[in-house]
Amino acid sequence: MDHFLYQNGELFAEDVSVAEIAKVVKTPFYLYSTATLLRHFNLFDEALAWGPHLVCYAMKAASNQAILKTLAEAGAGMDVVSGGEYARAIAAGVPGDKIVFSGVGKTHEEIKAALTGGIRQFNVESEPEMRVISEVAVSLGVVAPITIRVNPDVDAKTHAKIATGKSENKFGIPIAKARAVYAEAAALPGIKIVGIDVHIGSQLTELEPFEKAYAKVADLTETLRADGHTIERLDLGGGLGIPYTRSNEAPPLPMEYGQMIQRSLGHLGCEIEIEPGRLIAGNAGILVSSVIYLKNGEGRDFLILDAAMNDLIRPAMYEAHHDIIAVEEPIAGVDQQPYDIVGPVCETGDTFAKQRNLPPLTAGDLVAFRSAGAYGAVMSSEYNSRPLIPEVLVKDDHYAVIRARPTIDEMINRDTIPSWL
Ligand code: LLP
């Protein structure tokens, strides 16, 4: 459920008219709903209320400071994967002891920054990384809390580019090697084992792959405890999928996910951490765009929008589907017609949807891409020298621009001309 609904014939974000925002901010822009962000965070928090837990929002999904602050104030921890994300979490007021640091290539500098600023745990992805964390911690005279990410070799049954839990993927250590790696960790100075980490992929639409992975984690917890290690936390990653089409998709609900975690792991008495990104931010954001031209091609009509693949890369990159709706509510019974919906970028890949049925639209009309809050703005670029588009946050009946559109001069002035030119 989200808070982007038609009221009096036009699309609203909570209690604000999307068309009114478009008049001021100018399209294209991302628009987020505070109520939806909080609702989704709270669903996870409630789903794990059966035991000690921390919901660490995977801020790679949407990392604007205003979004982070909204979630942090509700009690969220953060999952970060770079020094930049760590700094963003700290800047948004998230205490270090609520930040977990994931990612396969943490650098010496990133590890140092996190140990200096405070960190709940590093989710270690390899033996070499573990040794560097140990060295940096010893040099700073501190102890680094760690989990080790295990790769359970489970098929997440999702898009190949976002599946991470098979042995051919670059993530984690093979679960079969876990005992040896934990033994090495226990012998290293400057690190303290606190638990186990696992994350098998993103946009999972069934519980079964999670269940398989968590069963392996449950066994491993008992084995490692028998080896004498302290396993007090289980970080179960993110990955729960969202419905991208309103009609026929019904991925499991956070409550069902939480109950499955309790069934699989509740008996171990560990603190549970999860790292959801998409489910918190995805349906809490839309991308609002205008039709620049309606072009009648051969056998098909193109709606050429002012948003493009540089603003929302998911259709080009993952063949992802986003529902696209008219901001003005279609009149009941009006005939829909098929359009190819494209952006202005000079690539055929800059196609958002083919033969998508919409009410008749023409130049100047507004459309909204639904479910664009996660992996939308954060993955955008300035390809074709198109400025990064604004982000806007709505709360009840008011809104604020939370990232302004840069001017073209600002973009040009970021370049520097070398002395020989
Ligand atoms: N934890 C780790 C270690 C991750 O790698 C990810 C996502 C998450 C948590 C959050 O997963 P989520 O709850 O959002 O599924 N750009 C792609 C998605 C990439 C996901 C990468 N890792 C997309 O647009 O679909």
Side-chain angles (χ1 to χ4, degrees), residues 58 60-61 79 102 149 162 199 201-203 237-240 275-279 314 318 374-375 379:
K60 60 168 75 69
D79 169 44
S102 304
R149 176 168 174 181
I162 52 174
H199 169 81
S202 192
Q203 186 53 17
L240 193 59
E275 302 168 352
R278 189 189 310 265
L279 201 145
R314 302 193 70 259
Y318 313 109
Y375 307 111
M379 293 181 77

